[in-house]
Amino acid sequence: MKPEVRDAINAHLKLELDAWYKYSAMALWFEEADLPGFASFAKTQAAEEMQHAYRFIEHLQDRDQSPVLPALAQPAATYDSPREALDAVLKSEQTVSESIRQLYAVADKANDQAARIMLEWFINEQVEEENMARSLLGRLRLAGEVGAGLMLLDQELGAGNIPGHNPDAAGA
Ligand code: FEO
């Protein structure tokens, strides 16, 4: 593996771990806001982000490279509303998508076929994750941000019905 690919994967690893940390903190806030279904959604996403981080770690290890675990910034602990939290989800996923695209370009330039194939899974995964965030924002708009509509959406999320999320697709 060329050093520039290894370094770019290690740099991206931080974003996956940041995402895990942000979703974990968001789950705590949802719980405090009496939205256990939203909290369950955020915990599921946090677990997926940790799986993503390990995909990168294991790719480096499988190719005899050393993963470097980064320092993580403290994530946001509170939000003004569920909508603000979901806006942060969409923004974070868009940032991860852009980083994956840049990482793919580095692997492509280095003619690193193994890295490219590994990254193709992530390109599909990010399409799904951005779609999920937008779908969830759409449902929140329809449900309303307070009262019975919000409670119904919370119950749906608690039952594992996450709009735009296909558990059989790339996210496993
Ligand atoms: Fe692993 Fe949601 O980015």
Side-chain angles (χ1 to χ4, degrees), residues 16 48-49 51-53 55-56 100 104 114-129 166-172:
E16 299 290 349
E48 281 195 10
E49 298 303 348
Q51 286 173 5
H52 296 172
R55 276 184 181 248
F56 285 107
I100 296 274
Y104 190 92
R116 275 201 328 238
I117 289 166
M118 182 268 295
L119 288 165
E120 279 166 13
W121 183 92
F122 278 98
I123 289 168
N124 288 329
E125 170 70 1
Q126 284 311 119
V127 169
E128 190 202 321
E129 296 221 316
N166 178 2
D168 298 326

Side-chain angles (χ1 to χ4, degrees), residues 90-105:
L90 179 58
K91 195 167 163 225
S92 171
E93 294 298 349
Q94 287 169 333
T95 301
V96 171
S97 299
E98 179 55 28
S99 177
I100 296 274
R101 285 193 287 271
Q102 287 177 13
L103 187 46
Y104 190 92

Side-chain angles (χ1 to χ4, degrees), residues 47-67:
E48 281 195 10
E49 298 303 348
M50 188 54 82
Q51 286 173 5
H52 296 172
Y54 269 95
R55 276 184 181 248
F56 285 107
I57 288 169
E58 286 164 10
H59 186 80
L60 289 171
Q61 288 176 321
D62 288 349
R63 299 181 66 191
D64 202 24
Q65 304 294 314
S66 296

